Structure formats: structure tokens, C-alpha cells
């Protein structure tokens, strides 16, 4: 197989198996712990986040009808038609196996399970769960909430059930950054969601309305980081944490007119781990 074909196949596996998404969740959780607790998270806790994210991602796509799949995902599923089902089962099994080792965190884990269920269940093919579609208008909020909870609040609760203003401002900044990103995904998927009887916050929005909400979210994210800096937070860390917002702003015009898998799953999703990578590789 030629090298470009191998690279394309590996990229497809990374993006569409949910592995990259799970690695993003792990990276964000580790970043939270390092910035706010000055300590890394235990491998078993990171493994739990990886498994839970992998399971939730693949269950979501296993329940999505084939016509909703993007071009490269369809190619991926032609090669491995049961990939999402098997990976969902693998992620769920790994999560269940790891929960006993995190029994002291079980009460903190339950909200993440609830929000994940509220986001994913409306896509279920089982009629018994279709009543949840009436709550799908808030699906952007559910997804942003579960990602914020798992990558910021849960790691902090795992470390020490408490917090301060710096932690609150950090959580606020991440929530509104993730919410802005979720808006772009919902805009891209609004026709596919409508075909499944699922409404979202963007369903009735114009492009002008979407831009206003997107700008508002990134403005609150920016103000929260400025407030952190005013409380003595490192200027370096503040500037680095602003980079995903800058990148998403630059990508916005393309994102509202494209369904590119590389754009959404690679660049927009991947922007979330940009601050962590910059800290690793920049000399200052």
C-alpha cells in the first residue's frame, strides 16, 4: 500500500474510532490537574476517562443512521462495519472494570453518566427512549456540560472536593470554549439531526444568530481568562489558554460552510489540546 494511502487509513482510524477524541479528554483532564493542583492524575483515573469517552463516542455513532455519516466515516465503516458497536462495548466494559478502583469517586461520576445519557439517548433506535427527543433542544448544553465536567470538575473533585475562584474561572472558560465548538458541530449536523426528529439550539438560527452566540461564548471565555490573569495567574499560561479560541475564530468562516471531517475532528476538536502541546514544546 502506498505511503499516502497508509497515512490516510491511519488518520481515519484515529479520528473515526474515537481514539483521538478520548485522547483529547485525557489531555484536558491532565491539563486541569497540572494547572490547578500542580500534580498529574493517576494512570487508572486517566484510563477511566479514556474508556468512558471511547464508549460514549462510539455508542453515539453506532446509533446514528448511515445517511448521517460523513464521506470518510462511510469508507471507514465499509472496511469495519461493526467498528462503532465493538468499540462502544470495549469502552463500556473498560469503564465498568475501572469503576471499582474509583469507588470513592462514584458519586462524582454519576452526573457525567447522566449528561452523557441525555445527549446520546435521543439517537437511540429503541422507541422506549424516543421521548427524550423532546429534551434534545438542550443537547448542546448537555455535551458542553459533560465535556467540561469530565475534563475539569471531575479531576478537581478526585483530587479534593473543594475549589476556589481560580478553579471556578478556569471551569467557566473551558465550558464556554467547548460550548462554542459544540455550536459549530450542531450547525454542521442540523439537517441530519432534523431527519432523526432531533432539534438543537441552532435549529432555528440564522448565520447571523449563530455568529452572535458563538462570539458571546468566546467573549465570556476570554473574559474568564483575563479575570484569572488579574488574580495572579501566569500571563504565559493565560495567553496559551487563549490559543484554541483564536484558532476556532479563524476557522469559523470555513466551519459554517463545510462538513470536512479533517476540519471538524482534526483541527476544531484538536484545538482543545493546543495549550497542552504548546507547554510541552515551547521553550519559554
Amino acid at each position: 500500500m502506498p505511503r499516502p494511502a497508509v497515512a490516510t487509513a491511519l488518520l481515519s482510524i484515529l479520528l473515526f474510532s474515537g481514539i483521538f477524541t478520548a485522547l483529547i479528554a485525557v489531555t484536558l483532564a491532565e491539563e486541569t490537574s497540572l494547572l490547578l493542583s500542580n500534580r498529574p492524575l493517576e494512570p487508572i483515573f486517566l484510563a477511566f476517562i479514556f474508556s468512558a469517552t471511547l464508549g460514549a463516542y462510539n455508542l453515539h455513532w453506532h446509533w446514528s443512521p448511515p445517511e448521517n455519516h460523513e464521506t470518510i466515516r462511510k469508507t471507514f465503516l465499509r472496511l469495519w462495519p461493526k467498528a462503532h458497536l465493538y468499540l462502544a462495548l470495549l469502552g463500556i466494559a473498560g469503564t465498568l472494570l475501572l469503576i471499582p478502583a474509583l469507588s470513592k469517586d462514584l458519586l462524582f461520576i454519576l452526573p457525567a453518566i447522566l449528561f452523557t445519557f441525555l445527549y446520546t439517548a435521543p439517537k437511540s433506535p429503541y422507541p422506549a427512549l424516543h421521548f427524550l427527543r423532546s429534551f434534545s433542544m438542550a443537547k448542546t448544553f448537555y455535551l458542553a456540560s459533560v465535556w467540561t465536567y469530565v475534563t475539569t470538575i471531575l479531576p478537581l473533585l478526585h483530587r479534593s472536593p473543594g475549589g476556589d475562584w481560580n478553579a471556578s474561572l478556569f471551569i467557566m472558560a473551558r465550558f464556554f470554549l467547548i460550548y462554542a465548538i459544540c455550536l459549530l458541530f450542531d450547525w454542521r449536523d442540523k439537517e441530519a439531526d432534523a431527519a432523526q426528529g432531533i432539534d438543537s439550539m441552532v435549529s432555528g438560527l440564522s448565520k447571523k444568530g449563530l455568529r452572535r452566540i458563538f462570539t458571546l461564548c468566546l467573549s465570556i471565555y476570554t473574559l474568564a481568562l483575563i479575570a484569572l490573569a488579574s488574580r495572579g495567574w501566569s500571563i504565559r499560561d493565560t495567553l496559551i489558554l487563549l490559543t484554541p479560541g483564536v484558532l476556532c475564530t479563524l476557522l469559523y468562516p470555513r466551519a459554517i460552510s463545510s462538513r470536512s471531517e479533517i476540519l471538524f475532528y482534526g483541527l476544531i476538536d484538536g484545538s482543545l489540546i493546543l495549550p497542552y502541546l504548546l507547554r510541552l514544546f515551547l521553550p519559554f
Side-chain angles (χ1 to χ4, degrees):
M1 184 183 293
R3 287 184 180 179
V6 172
T8 301
L10 290 175
L11 183 62
S12 296
I13 292 170
L14 184 66
L15 294 181
F16 299 111
S17 65
I19 292 173
F20 185 57
T21 303
L23 288 173
I24 290 172
V26 166
T27 302
L28 292 177
E30 180 74 345
E31 179 183 54
T32 297
S33 188
L34 290 173
L35 287 176
L36 297 176
S37 301
N38 295 312
R39 288 182 294 169
L41 292 165
E42 301 92 330
I44 194 166
F45 190 81
L46 294 175
F48 168 79
I49 291 176
F50 182 91
S51 295
T53 306
L54 187 71
Y57 173 94
N58 282 285
L59 183 62
H60 177 85
W61 280 105
H62 174 61
W63 280 349
S64 296
E67 58 269 23
N68 289 6
H69 297 166
E70 310 92 337
T71 303
I72 300 178
R73 189 183 299 278
K74 288 178 179 177
T75 303
F76 172 75
L77 290 174
R78 274 199 294 270
L79 296 173
W80 300 286
K82 299 290 186 181
H84 286 314
L85 173 61
Y86 293 148
L87 287 167
L89 293 173
L90 179 64
I92 292 168
T95 303
L96 293 174
L97 287 172
L98 290 166
I99 280 180
L102 300 169
S103 56
K104 71 180 182 67
D105 297 314
L106 184 57
L107 188 62
F108 304 141
I109 290 169
L110 291 177
I113 295 173
L114 174 62
F115 278 114
T116 301
F117 177 77
L118 289 172
Y119 176 75
T120 299
K123 283 188 168 286
S124 166
Y126 304 112
L129 295 176
H130 287 181
F131 76 95
L132 289 168
R133 291 179 180 177
S134 60
F135 300 100
S136 62
M137 185 62 71
K139 80 184 192 79
T140 313
F141 174 77
Y142 299 148
L143 185 58
S145 295
V146 73
W147 266 86
T148 303
Y149 188 86
V150 169
T151 65
T152 55
I153 299 173
L154 189 57
L156 293 175
L157 291 174
H158 174 71
R159 282 289 181 215
S160 175
D164 56 24
W165 273 106
N166 282 0
S168 298
L169 289 167
F170 183 85
I171 291 166
M172 182 186 299
R174 180 161 290 170
F175 174 81
F176 281 100
L177 171 62
I178 292 175
Y179 198 98
I181 289 173
C182 289
L183 284 172
L184 297 180
F185 275 84
D186 278 350
W187 180 265
R188 186 199 65 163
D189 296 338
K190 65 177 182 176
E191 291 179 1
D193 284 342
Q196 273 194 282
I198 297 172
D199 288 325
S200 71
M201 183 179 177
V202 305
S203 298
L205 282 181
S206 64
K207 286 187 177 181
K208 186 176 181 180
L210 177 71
R211 175 176 283 279
R212 284 177 176 172
I213 298 174
F214 179 83
T215 302
L216 176 63
C217 289
L218 289 189
S219 297
I220 296 173
Y221 147 80
T222 302
L223 289 172
L225 292 179
I226 291 172
L228 269 175
S230 72
R231 291 178 53 83
W233 190 275
S234 161
I235 297 296
R236 168 186 176 270
D237 283 338
T238 303
L239 291 175
I240 287 176
L241 285 170
L242 281 168
T243 55
V246 173
L247 181 56
C248 287
T249 301
L250 294 174
L251 294 173
Y252 179 87
R254 174 69 174 160
I256 61 170
S257 60
S258 171
R259 289 183 57 84
S260 167
E261 297 100 325
I262 303 301
L263 171 65
F264 279 90
Y265 299 111
L267 294 177
I268 294 176
D269 264 356
S271 71
L272 289 168
I273 60 173
L274 185 57
Y276 186 88
L277 296 177
L278 288 173
R279 285 189 198 88
L280 283 180
F281 296 110
L282 288 181
F284 57 86

